[in-house]
Amino acid sequence: MDQAEQLRNIIKAESQNKRPLARIITVTSGKGGVGKSNTSINLAIQLRKMGQRVIIMDADFGLANIEIMFGTIPKYNLSDLIYQGKDIKEIITWGPGEVGFISGGSGIVGLSNLRREYLAYIVQNLAKLDAIADIIIIDTAAGISDAVLEFLVASGEILVVTTPEPTSITDSYSLLKELNRHPRYVPENTRIKVITNRIETREEGKTLFNKLNAVVSRYLNLSIEHIGTIPYDSQITESVIQQTPVSMLNPKARSSLAYEEIAATLMNKELNKNLRKRGMAAFFSHIVSGKKTG
């Protein structure tokens, strides 16, 4: 029995537990420095204010953006779950606003070589997140690495953060191009949403999205949607310095109100009526089986 079949059997067993499935939202960007992690954190806080239980998984392995911005040092990380046998609840660090986060540590290197019993343990633990969180935000590394693409392919909902910088726009297009070329990417199973960041006006944000959408529609034949604009705001810089998310440091700041509006859009039942929740076990298993068979 190969690993992919083993994982299918594990997922089948987990599905019989009738657990609720968490909504997985993967936040990404074509380049660094565009405000991706700030977006992940502030959306998490705004969603928590709306009554959602939220956990962020920092998938930017080797770096510590989320914990630095939260001003919290985790005791354990994802590697401790995978290689040290820690329980999923032990590796969750609770940050400001009752938002949990999981540090990626050294990541998922070597997972394709793990024995079935280890894979079962990992999948069963990650499946517990579906009962702990309503929404799990995956904060990927910036750029177009194989690891980032694996997370995007496994996700049914992707948020792409871009800015007016020409390099940000072209890198966002390149990211979507590589995603579209991935052998396991299924467009009809994925919603791609764009957030325009560091924008002066809503009209500028819409214009920026229209430029990106024009080339994506013409050359990639992909459907993307614009779900909001974050204005340029010096309060965000201040919040990073103080290691307190702007949505908590200054809830009435322009950027905080914009994050609140985007969170409301994400929770709009009419806009999300066809959105299918995958759950954390299926998400993770898709990644691991891809590393073996992809």
Side-chain angles (χ1 to χ4, degrees), residues 13 37 40 57 71 77 108 142 194 217 229 232 237 259 261 266 269:
S37 293
S40 295
M57 178 174 287
N77 57 47
I108 55 177
V194 176
S217 299
T229 289
Y232 177 82
T237 303
Y259 286 122
E261 187 174 328
L266 288 172
K269 291 183 178 180

Side-chain angles (χ1 to χ4, degrees), residues 7-52:
L7 286 167
R8 283 192 292 270
N9 291 339
I10 294 168
I11 290 299
K12 184 178 180 180
E14 281 301 311
S15 67
Q16 294 173 351
N17 290 326
K18 305 298 183 183
R19 289 192 181 101
L21 296 178
R23 178 179 177 183
I24 311 295
I25 302 176
T26 302
V27 183
T28 192
S29 62
K31 68 184 293 291
V34 301
K36 173 184 57 61
S37 293
N38 249 319
T39 296
S40 295
I41 289 172
N42 284 285
L43 285 180
I45 289 171
Q46 296 294 348
L47 289 165
R48 181 71 190 101
K49 288 180 179 180
M50 297 173 68
Q52 298 298 301

Side-chain angles (χ1 to χ4, degrees), residues 203-215:
E203 291 71 24
E204 182 185 342
K206 190 63 177 177
T207 298
L208 172 58
F209 170 76
N210 288 339
K211 288 179 181 178
L212 178 61
N213 189 37
V215 292

Side-chain angles (χ1 to χ4, degrees), residues 193-251:
K193 304 174 181 181
V194 176
I195 295 175
T196 46
N197 191 27
R198 297 175 188 157
I199 305 296
E200 293 298 333
T201 65
R202 288 178 182 266
E203 291 71 24
E204 182 185 342
K206 190 63 177 177
T207 298
L208 172 58
F209 170 76
N210 288 339
K211 288 179 181 178
L212 178 61
N213 189 37
V215 292
V216 168
S217 299
R218 179 175 180 180
Y219 297 108
L220 304 182
N221 195 29
L222 282 180
S223 175
I224 63 176
E225 53 190 302
H226 187 215
I227 64 162
T229 289
I230 308 298
Y232 177 82
D233 188 355
S234 61
Q235 288 295 306
I236 292 182
T237 303
E238 182 63 25
S239 74
V240 173
I241 294 172
Q242 295 197 31
Q243 293 182 281
T244 303
V246 68
S247 293
M248 297 192 69
L249 183 67
N250 187 347

